[in-house]
Amino acid sequence: MTTTSDYVSRMVERSELQKMARTIDAHRKQLDDLHGRIEQVTAIIDEHQITSGILHHLQESSKTGKTGARLSIGSGVTLNYIHESKEEGTALVDIGSGVFGEKPWSEAYTMTVERKEGITLLHKDLSEQATTLEEKITLLAQEFNAAAEQLQPSQPATTPAFEPTSAPQPPTPQSSPEEKENRRPQRRGSRFGNELTLDD
């Protein structure tokens, strides 16, 4: 015979399970958001890798008195850039707040590498957060399933059991030392400003 206390106990257990389920769902959404940000940061790191490789090529090739590169201007159109001088050329570099300055290739290369290193640290931080969150989700899912099994068979939980899933590994930046010199990064509508700053 089911007593009032048994009924209340089952209701409390169901309420706790539902609360755990909502927590797991919230963490999974947060993990999806983290992976989205990691993908964005990875794309920017790859772009910096390509840019630094091209700048390095221009510097080295200019020592022969002539160097060049192919520059994409969008819509499938590419221009041939020729530099005929043993002196290195210059590039317009975003120096912050939408202001561009003309810098020698060597200085533009240094700035690009430094920026890439800073963004790589952000990528590492986000990846570590994602790993920690994945472990937390797995633990919560295991606790949920264990609690659900403790309910009386005659009164199964209304919330389905969670499968401890491992989220897909976030992409990692390309690390090849040799760049594909003919590739040009696509121009982006926004720079790596506040939207890439860790705000967790």
Side-chain angles (χ1 to χ4, degrees), residues 36-65:
R37 295 174 65 185
I38 290 173
E39 289 178 358
Q40 293 175 350
V41 173
T42 299
I44 293 176
I45 292 174
D46 291 343
E47 180 178 343
H48 278 64
Q49 187 78 2
I50 294 171
T51 302
S52 61
I54 293 174
L55 289 170
H56 179 71
H57 163 74
L58 290 173
Q59 290 180 73
E60 293 299 315
S61 298
S62 66
K63 297 176 183 177
T64 65

Side-chain angles (χ1 to χ4, degrees), residues 77-97:
V77 180
T78 301
L79 301 180
N80 282 323
Y81 169 72
I82 303 297
H83 179 78
E84 296 181 340
S85 174
K86 289 189 175 181
E87 298 294 330
E88 66 176 295
T90 60
L92 292 177
V93 182
D94 187 347
I95 57 179
S97 301

Side-chain angles (χ1 to χ4, degrees), residues 74-142:
S75 301
V77 180
T78 301
L79 301 180
N80 282 323
Y81 169 72
I82 303 297
H83 179 78
E84 296 181 340
S85 174
K86 289 189 175 181
E87 298 294 330
E88 66 176 295
T90 60
L92 292 177
V93 182
D94 187 347
I95 57 179
S97 301
V99 178
F100 286 78
E102 189 172 4
K103 302 290 183 181
W105 288 337
S106 56
E107 190 172 343
Y109 170 79
T110 300
M111 293 175 66
T112 301
V113 171
E114 289 176 350
R115 288 175 177 176
K116 184 184 70 175
E117 291 173 351
I119 301 171
T120 299
L121 291 177
L122 174 60
H123 183 280
K124 180 181 178 182
D125 190 19
L126 291 173
S127 297
E128 289 175 350
Q129 286 189 53
T131 299
T132 299
L133 196 53
E134 287 172 5
E135 294 172 351
K136 187 173 184 179
I137 290 172
T138 299
L139 180 61
L140 286 173
Q142 292 172 347

Side-chain angles (χ1 to χ4, degrees), residues 13 16 72 99 121:
E13 290 173 340
E16 289 300 317
S72 174
V99 178
L121 291 177

